[in-house]
Amino acid sequence: MSDIILKINDLKVNYGGIEAVKGISFDVPKGEIVTLIGANGAGKSSTLRSIAGLVKPRSGSIEFEGENITGKSPNYIVSKGITLVPEGRRIFPDLAVAENLRIGAYLRKDDLSDDIKWVYELFPRLKER
């Protein structure tokens, strides 16, 4: 397996007749952080939604750990370890902070207590709430 964990090749996304993503390509090496920067309407969210399986691309390919996941269901993509974290306050408002954190890890079968402790250390305000 190569050092590339995510490979996007000539990804194009349309919403009806509107071309939201016009052929983006990039690689994400293992252990690296890559950001998408651009103006409103540049296609950042559409690119991420395609990677997460929420929007089917018109063309191009998405590979994760060497596997083509283009057009796979969101459930399948989440099971591989890719998820989309919504911005702002699009959480479950009727659940406690701890419940929201556990829902984000619903596929995990191991003990979450160490990871939840780590999250509270990173974001002490969450622990207060």
Side-chain angles (χ1 to χ4, degrees), residues 1-2 11 18 21 35 44 48 55-56 59 62 77 85 91 94 97-98 102 106 109 120 129:
M1 186 182 302
S2 77
L11 187 69
I18 299 170
V21 179
T35 60
K44 302 176 301 291
L48 295 175
V55 174
K56 281 198 169 195
S59 63
I62 304 164
I77 291 170
V85 179
I91 57 173
D94 296 331
V97 169
R102 282 194 292 275
Y106 74 93
K109 305 295 183 216
Y120 288 154
R129 296 176 178 198

mmCIF file of all heavy atoms in Angstrom, residues 1-2 11 18 21 35 44 48 55-56 59 62 77 85 91 94 97-98 102 106 109 120 129:
data_model
loop_
_atom_site.group_PDB
_atom_site.id
_atom_site.type_symbol
_atom_site.label_atom_id
_atom_site.label_comp_id
_atom_site.label_asym_id
_atom_site.label_seq_id
_atom_site.Cartn_x
_atom_site.Cartn_y
_atom_site.Cartn_z
ATOM 1 N N MET A 1 0.849 -1.180 0.000
ATOM 2 C CA MET A 1 0.000 0.000 0.000
ATOM 3 C C MET A 1 0.890 1.238 0.000
ATOM 4 O O MET A 1 1.914 1.279 0.655
ATOM 5 C CB MET A 1 -0.903 -0.022 1.237
ATOM 6 C CG MET A 1 -1.913 1.097 1.232
ATOM 7 S SD MET A 1 -2.961 1.147 2.696
ATOM 8 C CE MET A 1 -3.718 -0.444 2.658
ATOM 9 N N SER A 2 0.484 2.269 -0.718
ATOM 10 C CA SER A 2 1.290 3.484 -0.806
ATOM 11 C C SER A 2 1.088 4.348 0.434
ATOM 12 O O SER A 2 0.297 4.034 1.315
ATOM 13 C CB SER A 2 0.904 4.272 -2.064
ATOM 14 O OG SER A 2 -0.308 4.950 -1.850
ATOM 15 N N LEU A 11 -12.459 14.787 -9.989
ATOM 16 C CA LEU A 11 -13.812 14.696 -9.439
ATOM 17 C C LEU A 11 -14.672 15.840 -9.971
ATOM 18 O O LEU A 11 -14.290 17.006 -9.914
ATOM 19 C CB LEU A 11 -13.754 14.759 -7.908
ATOM 20 C CG LEU A 11 -15.061 14.514 -7.171
ATOM 21 C CD1 LEU A 11 -15.472 13.050 -7.314
ATOM 22 C CD2 LEU A 11 -14.915 14.875 -5.708
ATOM 23 N N ILE A 18 -26.169 22.497 -12.745
ATOM 24 C CA ILE A 18 -25.143 23.350 -12.135
ATOM 25 C C ILE A 18 -23.908 22.522 -11.815
ATOM 26 O O ILE A 18 -23.988 21.518 -11.100
ATOM 27 C CB ILE A 18 -25.667 24.020 -10.857
ATOM 28 C CG1 ILE A 18 -26.860 24.913 -11.189
ATOM 29 C CG2 ILE A 18 -24.567 24.816 -10.167
ATOM 30 C CD1 ILE A 18 -27.593 25.434 -9.990
ATOM 31 N N VAL A 21 -18.421 21.154 -8.850
ATOM 32 C CA VAL A 21 -16.998 20.806 -8.789
ATOM 33 C C VAL A 21 -16.576 20.468 -10.216
ATOM 34 O O VAL A 21 -17.186 19.624 -10.858
ATOM 35 C CB VAL A 21 -16.740 19.608 -7.836
ATOM 36 C CG1 VAL A 21 -15.267 19.257 -7.797
ATOM 37 C CG2 VAL A 21 -17.253 19.918 -6.436
ATOM 38 N N THR A 35 -6.161 20.832 3.659
ATOM 39 C CA THR A 35 -7.328 21.703 3.762
ATOM 40 C C THR A 35 -7.812 22.112 2.380
ATOM 41 O O THR A 35 -7.026 22.200 1.443
ATOM 42 C CB THR A 35 -7.011 22.982 4.565
ATOM 43 O OG1 THR A 35 -5.975 23.698 3.904
ATOM 44 C CG2 THR A 35 -6.561 22.642 5.972
ATOM 45 N N LYS A 44 -16.087 23.337 -2.153
ATOM 46 C CA LYS A 44 -15.462 22.657 -1.012
ATOM 47 C C LYS A 44 -16.414 21.648 -0.375
ATOM 48 O O LYS A 44 -16.072 20.482 -0.210
ATOM 49 C CB LYS A 44 -15.015 23.681 0.044
ATOM 50 C CG LYS A 44 -14.042 24.724 -0.457
ATOM 51 C CD LYS A 44 -13.715 25.756 0.597
ATOM 52 C CE LYS A 44 -14.900 26.518 1.115
ATOM 53 N NZ LYS A 44 -15.546 27.446 0.198
ATOM 54 N N LEU A 48 -16.381 17.424 -0.297
ATOM 55 C CA LEU A 48 -16.424 16.627 0.930
ATOM 56 C C LEU A 48 -17.663 15.739 0.978
ATOM 57 O O LEU A 48 -17.596 14.585 1.412
ATOM 58 C CB LEU A 48 -16.352 17.540 2.156
ATOM 59 C CG LEU A 48 -15.054 18.310 2.308
ATOM 60 C CD1 LEU A 48 -15.133 19.283 3.476
ATOM 61 C CD2 LEU A 48 -13.869 17.365 2.475
ATOM 62 N N VAL A 55 -23.208 12.716 -1.883
ATOM 63 C CA VAL A 55 -23.505 13.194 -3.232
ATOM 64 C C VAL A 55 -22.728 12.318 -4.202
ATOM 65 O O VAL A 55 -21.529 12.105 -4.021
ATOM 66 C CB VAL A 55 -23.057 14.670 -3.400
ATOM 67 C CG1 VAL A 55 -23.218 15.121 -4.838
ATOM 68 C CG2 VAL A 55 -23.819 15.578 -2.463
ATOM 69 N N LYS A 56 -23.415 11.797 -5.223
ATOM 70 C CA LYS A 56 -22.716 10.997 -6.231
ATOM 71 C C LYS A 56 -22.025 11.916 -7.223
ATOM 72 O O LYS A 56 -22.656 12.822 -7.774
ATOM 73 C CB LYS A 56 -23.691 10.084 -6.978
ATOM 74 C CG LYS A 56 -24.041 8.858 -6.202
ATOM 75 C CD LYS A 56 -24.620 7.815 -7.116
ATOM 76 C CE LYS A 56 -24.696 6.525 -6.319
ATOM 77 N NZ LYS A 56 -24.894 5.378 -7.140
ATOM 78 N N SER A 59 -18.465 12.390 -12.425
ATOM 79 C CA SER A 59 -17.344 11.600 -12.938
ATOM 80 C C SER A 59 -16.146 11.791 -12.018
ATOM 81 O O SER A 59 -16.187 12.570 -11.080
ATOM 82 C CB SER A 59 -16.999 12.005 -14.379
ATOM 83 O OG SER A 59 -16.569 13.352 -14.419
ATOM 84 N N ILE A 62 -12.705 8.421 -6.383
ATOM 85 C CA ILE A 62 -12.330 8.628 -4.989
ATOM 86 C C ILE A 62 -11.790 7.295 -4.492
ATOM 87 O O ILE A 62 -12.501 6.282 -4.506
ATOM 88 C CB ILE A 62 -13.550 9.037 -4.145
ATOM 89 C CG1 ILE A 62 -14.208 10.289 -4.726
ATOM 90 C CG2 ILE A 62 -13.145 9.237 -2.687
ATOM 91 C CD1 ILE A 62 -15.608 10.546 -4.201
ATOM 92 N N ILE A 77 -19.024 3.904 3.520
ATOM 93 C CA ILE A 77 -17.887 4.809 3.659
ATOM 94 C C ILE A 77 -17.597 5.083 5.133
ATOM 95 O O ILE A 77 -16.435 5.088 5.552
ATOM 96 C CB ILE A 77 -18.145 6.099 2.848
ATOM 97 C CG1 ILE A 77 -18.108 5.733 1.347
ATOM 98 C CG2 ILE A 77 -17.121 7.176 3.172
ATOM 99 C CD1 ILE A 77 -18.567 6.827 0.416
ATOM 100 N N VAL A 85 -18.075 15.814 9.435
ATOM 101 C CA VAL A 85 -18.485 16.485 10.663
ATOM 102 C C VAL A 85 -19.119 17.816 10.267
ATOM 103 O O VAL A 85 -18.426 18.681 9.729
ATOM 104 C CB VAL A 85 -17.284 16.717 11.612
ATOM 105 C CG1 VAL A 85 -17.724 17.438 12.867
ATOM 106 C CG2 VAL A 85 -16.604 15.400 11.939
ATOM 107 N N ILE A 91 -25.815 19.483 15.544
ATOM 108 C CA ILE A 91 -25.684 18.320 16.403
ATOM 109 C C ILE A 91 -27.088 17.898 16.809
ATOM 110 O O ILE A 91 -28.073 18.450 16.326
ATOM 111 C CB ILE A 91 -24.805 18.641 17.639
ATOM 112 C CG1 ILE A 91 -25.399 19.822 18.416
ATOM 113 C CG2 ILE A 91 -23.383 18.935 17.213
ATOM 114 C CD1 ILE A 91 -24.719 20.120 19.711
ATOM 115 N N ASP A 94 -31.207 17.709 21.531
ATOM 116 C CA ASP A 94 -31.900 17.114 22.676
ATOM 117 C C ASP A 94 -31.045 16.101 23.430
ATOM 118 O O ASP A 94 -31.492 15.539 24.426
ATOM 119 C CB ASP A 94 -33.207 16.452 22.217
ATOM 120 C CG ASP A 94 -34.197 17.469 21.663
ATOM 121 O OD1 ASP A 94 -34.160 18.642 22.099
ATOM 122 O OD2 ASP A 94 -34.993 17.103 20.782
ATOM 123 N N VAL A 97 -23.963 16.388 25.767
ATOM 124 C CA VAL A 97 -22.682 16.403 25.066
ATOM 125 C C VAL A 97 -22.116 14.989 24.957
ATOM 126 O O VAL A 97 -21.701 14.547 23.887
ATOM 127 C CB VAL A 97 -21.680 17.338 25.787
ATOM 128 C CG1 VAL A 97 -20.275 17.157 25.232
ATOM 129 C CG2 VAL A 97 -22.119 18.788 25.652
ATOM 130 N N ALA A 98 -22.115 14.262 26.069
ATOM 131 C CA ALA A 98 -21.559 12.899 26.063
ATOM 132 C C ALA A 98 -22.322 11.999 25.096
ATOM 133 O O ALA A 98 -21.728 11.173 24.396
ATOM 134 C CB ALA A 98 -21.577 12.311 27.468
ATOM 135 N N ARG A 102 -20.815 9.994 21.845
ATOM 136 C CA ARG A 102 -20.978 8.545 21.647
ATOM 137 C C ARG A 102 -21.652 8.236 20.311
ATOM 138 O O ARG A 102 -21.306 7.261 19.656
ATOM 139 C CB ARG A 102 -21.739 7.927 22.813
ATOM 140 C CG ARG A 102 -20.868 7.733 24.048
ATOM 141 C CD ARG A 102 -21.521 6.827 25.073
ATOM 142 N NE ARG A 102 -22.686 7.429 25.677
ATOM 143 C CZ ARG A 102 -22.675 8.250 26.727
ATOM 144 N NH1 ARG A 102 -21.530 8.566 27.293
ATOM 145 N NH2 ARG A 102 -23.778 8.750 27.215
ATOM 146 N N TYR A 106 -20.617 5.525 16.894
ATOM 147 C CA TYR A 106 -21.552 4.409 17.032
ATOM 148 C C TYR A 106 -21.072 3.116 16.401
ATOM 149 O O TYR A 106 -21.502 2.036 16.781
ATOM 150 C CB TYR A 106 -22.945 4.785 16.520
ATOM 151 C CG TYR A 106 -23.079 4.853 15.024
ATOM 152 C CD1 TYR A 106 -23.499 3.750 14.285
ATOM 153 C CD2 TYR A 106 -22.791 6.023 14.339
ATOM 154 C CE1 TYR A 106 -23.619 3.830 12.907
ATOM 155 C CE2 TYR A 106 -22.915 6.113 12.970
ATOM 156 C CZ TYR A 106 -23.332 5.000 12.267
ATOM 157 O OH TYR A 106 -23.450 5.075 10.906
ATOM 158 N N LYS A 109 -16.726 -0.617 18.565
ATOM 159 C CA LYS A 109 -17.137 -1.662 19.501
ATOM 160 C C LYS A 109 -16.290 -1.652 20.778
ATOM 161 O O LYS A 109 -16.597 -2.344 21.725
ATOM 162 C CB LYS A 109 -17.027 -3.050 18.845
ATOM 163 C CG LYS A 109 -17.783 -3.178 17.549
ATOM 164 C CD LYS A 109 -19.269 -3.040 17.741
ATOM 165 C CE LYS A 109 -19.987 -3.251 16.428
ATOM 166 N NZ LYS A 109 -21.135 -2.431 16.250
ATOM 167 N N TYR A 120 -12.396 15.761 26.117
ATOM 168 C CA TYR A 120 -12.649 16.746 27.177
ATOM 169 C C TYR A 120 -11.381 17.523 27.538
ATOM 170 O O TYR A 120 -11.448 18.695 27.896
ATOM 171 C CB TYR A 120 -13.227 16.074 28.406
ATOM 172 C CG TYR A 120 -14.662 15.612 28.266
ATOM 173 C CD1 TYR A 120 -15.149 14.565 29.022
ATOM 174 C CD2 TYR A 120 -15.543 16.227 27.373
ATOM 175 C CE1 TYR A 120 -16.465 14.146 28.905
ATOM 176 C CE2 TYR A 120 -16.854 15.808 27.253
ATOM 177 C CZ TYR A 120 -17.303 14.772 28.020
ATOM 178 O OH TYR A 120 -18.613 14.367 27.904
ATOM 179 N N ARG A 129 -20.196 21.227 30.068
ATOM 180 C CA ARG A 129 -21.585 21.152 29.611
ATOM 181 C C ARG A 129 -22.116 19.750 29.681
ATOM 182 O O ARG A 129 -23.212 19.443 29.415
ATOM 183 C CB ARG A 129 -21.673 21.690 28.185
ATOM 184 C CG ARG A 129 -21.310 23.146 28.179
ATOM 185 C CD ARG A 129 -21.290 23.711 26.800
ATOM 186 N NE ARG A 129 -20.976 25.120 26.922
ATOM 187 C CZ ARG A 129 -21.191 25.998 26.003
ATOM 188 N NH1 ARG A 129 -21.727 25.644 24.884
ATOM 189 N NH2 ARG A 129 -20.869 27.244 26.183
#
